[in-house]
Amino acid sequence: MTAASRLLRHARECLDLEVLGGELRLRACALLARQGLESAVAASLRELGVEGCKLAFRTQLACLRHLAPPTLRVRRVSYTWVALSHVTHYHGYEMPPTAEAMENWLTEAEVLVAMLQGAGHAAA
Amino acid sequence: MNPSLLELVAKKLTATPPDVQGVRRLVLASCHSAGVLQRALEESEFEPPTAASRQKGSDAPDVWLSSLVIKGFRGIGAPMKVDFEPTPGLTLVLGRNGSGKSSVAEGLETLLHGDCSRLKDKPAEWKKGWANVHWDGAVEIEAEFRLEGQSECAVATRRWESGDEIDSADLELRSLGSRGESAFPSRDLLDKYRPILSCGQLGRRLERRPADLYDELAGVLGLHELVDAQNALRTERVERKRRCEQLEDGRGALLETLSGSEDARVVTCREALLQQPWDLDAIGAVLEGRSDSTDELNRLRLGAELEIPSTQALDQARIELQTALVRQKAADASDAGEQRKLAKALREALALYEHMGEGPCSICESDGVWDEAWRSRAEARMRDADAAAAEAHKLAEEVRTLATTVGELSSFLGSEELALAQHLDVDPEHIQAIAAWLATQKQDGSPSRLAAELKDAAPSLLRAGAAVRAAAVKELNQREEGWRRVVDAVRQWLPRARAAVTADEAGAVERLVEAEDWLKTASSELRADRFAPIAQEALKLFQEMRENSNVSLREVSLAATGGRTRRRVQMRADVDGEGGTYPALSIMSQGELNVLALSLFLPRMMLAEAPCRFVVLDDPIQSMDPHKVDGLARVLGRIAERRQVIVFTHDPRLQEAIDRLGIAATYLQVTRLPSSAVEVRRTSSPVEKYLEEANRMLEPEVVRDVGDEKLRRIVPGICRLALEAALQRSARRRLHADGKPSEEADRILAKAKAAIALASLTLFARADRGSEVAAEFVERYGDCGRAYEDVNGGAHGNYDGALKQLVRNTRNLTRRLEEKS
């Protein structure tokens, strides 16, 4: 199992961790899912021959968009990462996301990580 | 009347007393009730009280909200419990739209009032589906209240079975101790001071009919009772005036009835009725026969009952007298006097003879001789003389007696009868006969003359007497007939008039008019005085919340002309403090209108009479710009010093402002989980909240369940959130400390979203020195300053150090940032 898949599995596990309480569960899930996405993108770039983990993530995404085949929906990755990032940064007393929203983003992240890994294998 | 209002009325009566005596009492009495007013009108000694007992409806104690449990209501499925601190303080209930936060507020509202303002007056469609779809059982809302000064608390419950209408459940009260239900505010009182303000439609409430807004704001002030008092005075005045008019009409009709009769009684009554004030005693005297006017009537009655002797009786008496006179005349030859003198002389001569004895006469010195023979003769002569004198005496007595009889019989007509005859217009012949007879009787009253004159006059006198009597009878009958005709009317009217005079109806009407005038004139001032606390508080609140608005509220007052018919709330505002004010509604933005509405409705909930010590605001931030949020936060903080303020909001700006302004508050976070499970957790300020979360994650049970691998990737992210929250606060404080106005600070912070920019602002008061931040943190704060770089890397999964140390450093750094600012 790749690091990204492992992180996403952890993220999903967090959703059911009652010991954390409602809000923290969602935040933990977001943190792990985002790191999963970041890890998958870095892996894809590595497979494309770019060692990009020192770059800012937005820059990594720009590289990927440039290098990857158009079938890879990098923009979708970008959207989901921004949504997850939003939860993991402080925005002046913003309310936590709803459980439904978090579930949707996580599912999307899972789809995207699978897509990135598939693309990576294809490129290889 | 509401005690505070009555107090104001009493004060005003002392300050500007009515001109007319007794009006003060009437005004006061009218403020109590129609019954008290009547008493004040009837008993001049009665002094209405100037204060009413403090009526908090019942004397139920003030209530504070301790907890709320809701199941199956609107967005809430499984039972959800929220605990509140039942003391003064501010509680913010935070939750996203749809989190179930409004269901909590609406649940409380439905529990207290039996309905919910959001659904009220809405089409039936809105009211369906108020029960939660994920909940099969009965819907139940239950709240526990702390009763001020009581050891027991009150529990209020409403329960609905499946299919019930929302307004069908009764409020059940439990655990009230010995006082029973009276320990809890009545439904009426709860409704009047509605402690829950649902702000969603707040601005629109200003746009309703002016009278509705007036009623809503003034309802709790009891101002309608001023109108009630005026009405009581008017009702009493109208009734009394009607009675006065009826009496006056009765008097007119009576005068009509009394016209045309010259009977002294009627005349007396008529004159008494025409006097001002009416002489009711004179009329009473006439009815009871005590009046002077009845003297003439008595003369008429005597005339009608005149006793006239018969011709025979009169003739017989006269003839007997004349016969006696003839006999007396005959007896007059031997004069009784002379006989008596002779008898006396002889008695004395005989006595002398006894003394002297026989011999020559000692008296006449003549040749005569006194001897026994003389003595016998003298004694015989003396006896004869005595007898003759006695006879004459007897005759004289007889004449005198008969003359008296004739005199009495003939004196049936006297001067009174003459006056009556003249008054009654009896035939002059008779008047003359009477007058002539009376004239003769005044002169010499010898019996012979009496007899002679009577013989001539008797026939005419008897005729005159009969005529006088007949005339008197006729007149008397006429008058009695006329009196009988009016006496009933007088008898009916008099007691009513007496009652009216005793009650001083006319005076009462005048005083009532005065009282009405006074109250009417005083009303606008009383209204203003009574509304003053609300108006002042509203102006103050608006001023506090308006921040940076160029519109200032200048005046809030109640205007009611024509009693209850034209009433409105007058609100005037100015723009940029320039001269002139405008109707507030027309120049305010939607946000300002919301502030205005809040300013108007909040004071009512905070009146001393309001039974609920808790104030619930559901979503008060509507179209408010950020500065107004600061104002609102300050206002809430101020109110929370005396009240239990509970604010439901989806807008994080309020928490941000409360936090930043250092206002003490408790935060409750509402989170909605699948299947309508709603969780309410107590949270603290964002920095504290994230630090608590980070700490919690390091507790053994969490470490065991979550596992180190995950924690290493989660905890630094949570720490970063705490640091970001602290940086945002410190950056804003730094900007404020550097004299940047709120608006500019907002603008700068809006641009500097990233933690690096916020850190740069905090450290250097400018956003563009991000590259120096990490080093500066270490430079300034030593070890804990490293947390900045550690959490930033760690949030992306790149932290290898000890998590406990990371959390400790983060906590210390946030503390230092707090100190610094």
Side-chain angles (χ1 to χ4, degrees):
Chain A
M1 180 181 281
T2 63
S5 305
R6 194 175 165 77
L7 283 165
L8 285 177
R9 204 191 68 205
H10 285 161
R12 188 161 285 289
E13 281 165 8
C14 274
L15 277 186
D16 298 326
L17 275 176
E18 283 193 12
V19 72
L20 293 181
E23 208 186 315
L24 180 53
R25 234 187 285 180
L26 304 178
R27 234 186 317 279
C29 172
L31 277 164
L32 292 168
R34 189 182 68 143
Q35 288 174 34
L37 267 188
E38 286 172 350
S39 170
V41 168
S44 292
L45 277 176
R46 255 195 315 275
E47 282 176 26
L48 289 167
V50 180
E51 195 55 55
C53 63
K54 294 280 184 225
L55 299 171
F57 190 68
R58 283 177 198 276
T59 316
Q60 293 183 36
L61 283 176
C63 291
L64 188 62
R65 198 155 45 235
H66 186 70
L67 296 173
T71 46
L72 192 73
R73 310 294 300 277
V74 180
R75 201 172 290 276
R76 261 177 79 184
V77 178
S78 179
Y79 287 155
T80 307
W81 180 82
V82 167
L84 293 169
S85 277
H86 196 84
V87 179
T88 60
H89 277 290
Y90 179 68
H91 298 280
Y93 298 82
E94 203 160 276
M95 303 287 168
T98 60
E100 289 88 344
M102 197 60 233
E103 169 72 40
N104 290 341
W105 290 328
L106 179 59
T107 309
E108 176 74 355
E110 286 163 348
V111 170
L112 292 172
V113 166
M115 178 186 76
L116 285 166
Q117 286 172 350
H121 294 310
Chain B
M1 180 175 273
N2 178 302
S4 315
L5 185 56
L6 183 62
E7 220 167 86
L8 282 177
V9 174
K11 227 186 249 173
K12 188 140 196 69
L13 277 169
T14 312
T16 52
D19 300 333
V20 178
Q21 185 85 22
V23 170
R24 189 184 153 277
R25 291 172 53 248
L26 296 188
V27 172
L28 265 185
S30 72
C31 290
H32 288 280
S33 69
V36 175
L37 177 59
Q38 275 202 344
R39 194 171 159 206
L41 283 162
E42 280 156 22
E43 300 169 30
S44 57
E45 299 299 308
F46 171 64
E47 192 61 39
T50 52
S53 55
R54 282 271 152 197
Q55 42 136 37
K56 248 177 190 173
S58 61
D59 53 352
D62 297 329
V63 297
W64 303 80
L65 181 62
S66 303
S67 69
L68 182 65
V69 179
I70 299 177
K71 59 182 181 192
F73 180 79
R74 294 188 40 75
I76 300 167
M80 176 232 63
K81 184 174 187 212
V82 202
D83 288 309
F84 296 98
E85 202 58 53
T87 50
L90 175 59
T91 300
L92 218 56
V93 183
L94 301 147
R96 281 182 173 277
N97 284 330
S99 63
K101 148 186 67 70
S102 284
S103 299
V104 179
E106 285 162 14
L108 179 62
E109 188 182 13
T110 307
L111 173 69
L112 290 178
H113 305 291
D115 58 36
C116 149
S117 53
R118 204 177 77 94
L119 301 181
K120 216 167 142 189
D121 309 324
K122 290 278 177 11
E125 198 63 26
W126 283 68
K127 296 182 186 173
K128 289 178 189 161
W130 60 274
N132 186 271
V133 289
H134 291 110
W135 185 252
D136 290 334
V139 177
E140 195 173 288
I141 304 176
E142 183 171 285
E144 192 179 303
F145 299 90
R146 180 172 75 84
L147 306 174
E148 184 75 55
Q150 310 271 309
S151 54
E152 305 257 355
C153 58
V155 177
T157 314
R158 275 187 210 264
R159 215 181 126 84
W160 296 261
E161 296 303 331
S162 166
D164 283 353
E165 297 289 326
I166 187 168
D167 51 8
S168 67
D170 290 330
L171 184 68
E172 289 166 34
L173 296 166
R174 282 190 285 121
S175 307
L176 296 168
S178 53
R179 299 192 50 178
E181 294 201 354
S182 73
F184 200 73
S186 65
R187 165 83 192 265
D188 179 48
L189 213 53
L190 286 174
D191 285 354
K192 210 160 150 188
Y193 294 97
R194 248 181 142 87
I196 299 162
L197 195 54
S198 177
C199 308
Q201 313 289 318
L202 203 54
R204 281 196 205 153
R205 278 160 85 171
L206 297 177
E207 296 159 16
R208 297 185 312 159
R209 291 192 313 123
D212 290 345
L213 185 60
Y214 177 103
D215 287 346
E216 189 162 2
L217 286 180
V220 292
L221 301 179
L223 288 176
H224 60 278
E225 288 172 304
L226 279 181
V227 182
D228 292 348
Q230 282 182 48
N231 284 342
L233 288 169
R234 189 174 51 237
T235 308
E236 204 56 47
R237 189 245 304 156
V238 166
E239 173 58 22
R240 277 164 201 264
K241 188 141 196 243
R242 191 183 59 78
R243 289 211 290 265
C244 282
E245 280 167 359
Q246 272 184 353
L247 204 61
E248 183 58 41
D249 289 351
R251 186 183 77 111
L254 203 55
L255 277 172
E256 188 79 15
T257 312
L258 293 174
S259 68
S261 171
E262 286 312 310
D263 177 55
R265 292 169 296 186
V266 176
V267 172
T268 304
C269 289
R270 210 157 54 208
E271 282 167 358
L273 284 179
L274 289 169
Q275 271 184 44
Q276 209 50 266
W278 309 328
D279 190 353
L280 298 179
D281 287 343
I283 300 176
V286 170
L287 284 179
E288 288 161 30
R290 290 185 286 104
S291 165
D292 291 345
S293 65
T294 51
D295 287 357
E296 191 205 4
L297 210 64
N298 288 337
R299 281 198 292 278
L300 274 176
R301 283 198 190 105
L302 285 175
E305 288 160 14
L306 186 64
E307 281 182 39
I308 302 169
S310 66
T311 312
Q312 292 87 338
L314 203 57
D315 280 353
Q316 193 182 337
R318 179 182 49 77
I319 290 163
E320 278 174 12
L321 175 61
Q322 279 175 328
T323 313
L325 281 168
V326 171
R327 275 195 282 133
Q328 192 185 36
K329 203 170 180 181
D332 260 1
S334 52
D335 185 284
E338 280 171 22
Q339 294 298 325
R340 250 193 313 275
K341 281 176 201 155
L342 177 63
K344 188 183 173 195
L346 285 170
R347 198 167 283 118
E348 282 168 2
L350 280 166
L352 196 59
Y353 167 74
E354 286 297 324
H355 183 66
M356 304 285 287
E358 289 183 357
C361 173
S362 305
I363 296 163
C364 65
E365 295 174 356
S366 64
D367 294 340
V369 172
W370 279 354
D371 54 15
E372 280 303 305
W374 173 80
R375 176 185 164 145
S376 299
R377 279 198 315 275
E379 279 176 348
R381 279 181 64 197
M382 189 183 74
R383 277 192 299 272
D384 286 349
D386 271 339
E391 177 64 23
H393 182 73
K394 192 182 149 202
L395 272 173
E397 277 299 304
E398 193 178 341
V399 166
R400 212 170 13 251
T401 306
L402 287 168
T404 304
T405 305
V406 169
E408 279 173 2
L409 274 173
S410 63
S411 66
F412 63 94
L413 291 169
S415 54
E416 284 185 5
E417 282 72 21
L418 175 62
L420 192 59
Q422 285 164 337
H423 180 66
L424 292 175
D425 264 349
V426 175
D427 194 327
E429 178 197 338
H430 300 309
I431 293 172
Q432 215 175 341
I434 299 167
W437 172 251
L438 291 177
T440 58
Q441 294 308 299
K442 270 186 194 157
Q443 295 164 7
D444 173 23
S446 81
S448 58
R449 190 166 168 171
L450 173 65
E453 281 169 354
L454 187 59
K455 190 182 178 195
D456 293 338
S460 62
L461 277 181
L462 287 169
R463 280 199 303 279
V468 168
R469 188 168 65 184
V473 167
K474 189 179 165 200
E475 179 67 18
L476 198 60
N477 283 343
Q478 257 175 13
R479 292 200 176 185
E480 287 297 336
E481 177 63 26
W483 179 241
R484 259 198 302 279
R485 204 156 43 77
V486 298
V487 70
D488 281 348
V490 177
R491 275 215 178 93
Q492 274 175 16
W493 184 82
L494 185 65
R496 284 198 286 131
R498 275 204 165 123
V501 169
T502 309
D504 189 15
E505 295 268 39
V509 168
E510 267 174 43
R511 285 192 297 277
L512 284 165
V513 169
E514 286 288 328
E516 264 179 86
D517 282 353
W518 186 91
L519 203 53
K520 204 182 280 175
T521 314
S523 275
S524 56
E525 279 178 53
L526 285 169
R527 213 167 19 237
D529 289 351
R530 182 79 178 112
F531 189 59
I534 287 188
Q536 279 162 10
E537 186 67 22
L539 291 177
K540 191 171 159 195
L541 288 173
F542 189 87
Q543 199 59 27
E544 282 178 308
M545 289 192 272
R546 68 183 269 264
E547 274 203 36
N548 292 321
S549 166
N550 56 353
V551 176
S552 279
L553 189 61
R554 289 288 166 217
E555 181 202 339
V556 179
S557 58
L558 297 178
T561 47
R564 285 177 62 75
T565 47
R566 286 165 57 197
R567 52 201 196 284
R568 62 188 193 284
V569 180
Q570 202 158 282
M571 293 168 286
R572 313 270 311 168
D574 69 13
V575 181
D576 292 328
E578 285 164 9
T581 60
Y582 308 90
L585 298 185
S586 66
I587 58 169
M588 286 190 178
S589 70
Q590 196 55 47
E592 284 159 348
L593 284 177
N594 276 313
V595 170
L596 175 62
L598 261 180
S599 308
L600 284 176
F601 291 114
L602 272 176
R604 189 188 59 169
M605 307 163 90
M606 285 146 52
L607 287 174
E609 295 95 325
C612 294
R613 299 281 112 173
F614 55 93
V615 173
V616 179
L617 302 181
D618 187 12
D619 245 342
I621 305 182
Q622 304 276 328
S623 336
M624 268 189 201
D625 55 47
H627 320 296
K628 295 202 177 59
V629 177
D630 279 15
L632 175 67
R634 284 196 196 94
V635 163
L636 295 175
R638 182 165 64 78
I639 299 174
E641 287 167 14
R642 289 178 292 135
R643 298 289 165 122
Q644 181 186 7
V645 181
I646 302 167
V647 181
F648 291 81
T649 183
H650 71 277
D651 193 321
R653 292 179 300 167
L654 186 58
Q655 188 192 9
E656 189 273 328
I658 286 170
D659 229 16
R660 175 165 38 79
L661 296 169
I663 297 164
T666 304
Y667 303 118
L668 297 176
Q669 181 76 51
V670 181
T671 314
R672 191 181 149 92
L673 304 169
S675 302
S676 297
V678 173
E679 179 190 84
V680 182
R681 264 174 196 263
R682 208 179 159 116
T683 68
S684 29
S685 81
V687 177
E688 288 304 316
K689 181 174 87 169
Y690 296 128
L691 286 172
E692 279 165 20
E693 282 184 2
N695 270 323
R696 167 141 184 77
M697 299 209 76
L698 298 181
E699 281 170 18
E701 50 164 9
V702 182
V703 173
R704 190 191 61 221
D705 284 3
V706 181
D708 190 60
E709 192 185 347
K710 287 195 200 95
L711 287 178
R712 191 156 284 284
R713 287 181 168 272
I714 298 170
V715 175
I718 304 295
C719 287
R720 187 175 68 171
L721 281 163
L723 190 56
E724 282 177 345
L727 282 171
Q728 195 173 72
R729 227 154 91 164
S730 59
R732 185 180 282 277
R733 286 193 181 164
R734 177 70 196 256
L735 289 170
H736 283 301
D738 281 4
K740 298 267 190 298
S742 288
E743 220 161 326
E744 198 184 335
D746 279 346
R747 213 172 34 244
I748 295 169
L749 288 170
K751 274 192 202 160
K753 273 184 186 148
I756 192 167
L758 290 172
S760 175
L761 276 171
T762 301
L763 296 172
F764 311 113
R766 48 191 291 179
D768 57 358
R769 290 173 66 179
S771 58
E772 303 165 52
V773 162
E776 182 71 16
F777 269 124
V778 179
E779 171 75 27
R780 280 199 200 181
Y781 304 118
D783 268 358
C784 74
R786 291 183 203 291
Y788 174 77
E789 218 168 5
D790 289 346
V791 298
N792 272 317
H796 296 280
N798 306 318
Y799 182 69
D800 300 328
L803 289 176
K804 275 193 178 158
Q805 185 61 44
L806 180 67
V807 175
R808 212 170 16 248
N809 282 346
T810 309
R811 175 183 297 282
N812 290 341
L813 183 56
T814 58
R815 296 275 149 83
R816 299 293 297 274
L817 285 170
E818 199 84 356
E819 282 167 22
K820 183 70 190 163
S821 52

